[in-house]
Amino acid sequence: MTDAGEAAAAAVFLDRDGTIMRDVDYCGNPADVAVFEGVGDALLRLKRGGFKVIVITNQSGIGRGYFGEKEYRVVEREVERQLGNGAVDATYFCADLPDSASARRKPEPGMIWEAQREHNLDLRRSFFIGDKATDIDCGKNAGLRTILVETGYGKNAMDCAPDHVVRDVIEAAEIILTECNG
């Protein structure tokens, strides 16, 4: 928890699979993790720019029984290792199945609101970066500015009306830093 007198921070929320790393269906094996080149540096630049960096990821592979939370956590640690020390402030995951009535599963904003409470975040100054319509919709549902990356499924999700469409997280970070410092 943060000090009640501390000013709320802006955040950059990011999807994991297809945005930060190569999309692997139901990734439960750390050997399958391949973080896109330059993403770790881009996240560190955002942090130096004053943003909290928070990963928001649906992980229905847990709910489907393909792997457990223990395997998920090993994959999460490998993602963080490949990104570089300290690139991510927090990670939130939802194991609920797609057809469940879940307030946490994207496109619902439950994980964002959880992060907002736990990290004292100002959502009006925050962004969501993702490669799917569910990511963009999640960001919109929480009142965030949204950026669709063309990595992962992004090239097939153009009809979700993001605020920006860019090639990758590196370009997304440039837009965020320019908009907020320009």
Side-chain angles (χ1 to χ4, degrees):
M1 280 298 192
T2 56
D3 180 5
E6 184 179 328
V12 175
F13 295 92
L14 299 104
D15 169 59
R16 188 188 81 180
D17 302 326
T19 301
I20 292 174
M21 63 176 261
R22 181 176 51 91
D23 195 314
V24 177
D25 284 339
Y26 309 111
C27 186
N29 183 345
D32 293 334
V33 173
V35 168
F36 295 126
E37 186 175 341
V39 172
D41 289 338
L43 299 184
L44 290 172
R45 288 186 61 228
L46 289 167
K47 288 183 71 158
R48 285 192 301 271
F51 291 92
K52 296 274 188 178
V53 173
I54 300 179
V55 176
I56 302 287
T57 181
N58 286 341
Q59 292 296 319
S60 69
I62 298 169
R64 296 170 197 269
Y66 298 158
F67 53 90
E69 185 175 341
K70 180 179 176 183
E71 290 82 10
Y72 164 78
R73 295 289 183 194
V74 173
V75 168
E76 180 183 322
R77 284 192 298 276
E78 178 59 18
V79 171
E80 290 176 359
R81 185 193 71 75
Q82 288 187 29
L83 286 171
N85 190 23
V88 174
D89 292 298
T91 299
Y92 293 82
F93 75 95
C94 180
D96 298 338
L97 297 175
D99 58 355
S100 66
S102 173
R104 293 185 80 243
R105 183 176 171 80
K106 295 181 290 181
E108 298 303 320
M111 289 187 282
I112 291 174
W113 292 337
E114 188 178 333
Q116 178 188 29
R117 287 188 303 274
E118 292 179 3
H119 297 277
N120 190 28
L121 302 175
D122 180 353
L123 298 184
R124 293 167 301 168
R125 297 187 299 126
S126 297
F127 293 81
F128 198 110
I129 303 170
D131 72 311
K132 294 180 182 169
T134 55
D135 299 322
I136 301 308
D137 292 344
C138 180
K140 288 178 182 178
N141 289 338
L144 309 179
R145 289 172 278 178
T146 58
I147 302 175
L148 179 73
V149 292
E150 293 179 334
T151 53
Y153 291 95
K155 290 183 180 178
N156 299 319
M158 297 296 177
D159 61 345
C160 60
D163 293 307
H164 301 279
V165 177
V166 297
R167 187 176 61 233
D168 54 24
V169 170
I170 298 161
E171 286 187 13
E174 287 298 323
I175 286 173
I176 291 168
L177 292 168
T178 299
E179 276 191 20
C180 294
N181 296 324

